Amino acid sequence: MALNVNRKVLPDVKYLSDKAFYAVIGATLLLGFAINAIEVTFFAQYFATWNPMVFFIVYFVSAIVGVCLNVFSQKPAISFIGYLLVVAPIGMALSLVVPATSIAIVRSAVLATVLLSAIFIILAIAYPKFFSSLFRVLSLSLIVALVFQLIAIFTGFGNNSFLDWIVVLIFSCYVGADVAYATRRPKTLDGAIDSACGIYLDLVNIFIRLLAILSRRR
């Protein structure tokens, strides 16, 4: 998701090789998913005992602070802390949903997420200019889709599964857009962490939507 903003690169910033840059993105993503897996596996029952109001306050404060640190800091350590503050509350939310879902559905959602992400990453590498131009269109499309989904939830009018598929497509395109942006941004450690945070949010949103679609079918 487009978290990154155009920032002035300081002259004393150390640059990474392309291989190191993409390795940092991959390692940061894997760490985020590993943290989520630990939260879901070992802390689901603990999070379930939290007062709902406390849970939502911790979730939103941590996520908002994390995004701000990740986006606006030019220091890798601060951006990484911001990334962790984004990852942790999402793991909390997943720990309330995943354990209540069958293993088969979770596995199918993971595989579908990986497949869709791989397709759009390949497309982004092949057509970087096209995906780089999509941020505004995707942001507007996501807002419209979420508004229609809220209307469907509160009125019962509309097809939630269809809207979920639309959101899956939007976030799949976001994967391509964020990957395309990563290929042309300055290859710094801070840039790699920022790129990983955006791609992480794209992948998590795809997974959550696919989980909802597959669970509804069962």
Side-chain angles (χ1 to χ4, degrees):
M1 191 174 184
L3 290 178
N4 303 300
V5 294
N6 292 324
R7 292 180 282 187
K8 181 180 178 180
V9 180
L10 301 178
D12 59 344
V13 169
K14 293 182 179 180
Y15 290 88
L16 304 174
S17 66
D18 287 352
K19 183 181 292 185
F21 181 78
Y22 297 122
V24 171
I25 292 178
T28 305
L29 285 171
L30 289 176
L31 176 63
F33 295 132
I35 292 172
N36 291 160
I38 291 171
E39 290 178 285
V40 170
T41 303
F42 298 105
F43 296 98
Q45 293 183 347
Y46 170 69
F47 291 133
T49 64
W50 283 28
N51 179 283
M53 183 62 67
V54 173
F55 185 95
F56 283 113
I57 290 174
V58 171
Y59 179 92
F60 284 109
V61 170
S62 178
I64 292 171
V65 171
V67 167
C68 290
L69 290 178
N70 184 266
V71 168
F72 296 109
S73 174
Q74 292 183 338
K75 297 181 179 180
I78 302 300
S79 291
F80 185 68
I81 291 172
Y83 174 69
L84 295 179
L85 289 175
V86 171
V87 167
I90 288 178
M92 291 167 53
L94 290 174
S95 69
L96 301 182
V97 176
V98 173
T101 308
S102 72
I103 295 177
I105 291 177
V106 173
R107 186 186 299 115
S108 296
V110 170
L111 291 175
T113 301
V114 171
L115 179 61
L116 280 172
S117 302
I119 291 171
F120 279 86
I121 287 172
I122 293 171
L123 289 173
I125 294 172
Y127 306 101
K129 291 184 178 180
F130 171 74
F131 279 96
S132 296
S133 67
L134 290 181
F135 279 119
R136 290 184 179 179
V137 174
L138 291 175
S139 297
L140 178 61
S141 300
L142 181 60
I143 291 172
V144 172
L146 292 178
V147 168
F148 273 101
Q149 195 154 51
L150 286 174
I151 293 174
I153 290 173
F154 288 106
T155 65
F157 176 78
N159 189 321
N160 281 328
S161 293
F162 175 75
L163 290 171
D164 278 332
W165 278 116
I166 293 296
V167 175
V168 167
L169 177 60
I170 292 172
F171 277 109
S172 296
C173 290
Y174 260 126
V175 171
D178 281 324
V179 169
Y181 181 67
T183 62
R184 63 183 177 83
R185 71 179 303 158
K187 301 299 189 291
T188 64
L189 181 58
D190 182 70
I193 295 170
D194 291 353
S195 294
C197 189
I199 296 170
Y200 166 83
L201 287 172
D202 301 335
L203 298 178
V204 166
N205 276 286
I206 292 171
F207 171 73
I208 291 174
R209 292 292 174 165
L210 288 173
L211 205 63
I213 293 168
L214 295 174
S215 297
R216 194 177 294 122
R217 285 186 174 183
R218 292 293 179 92

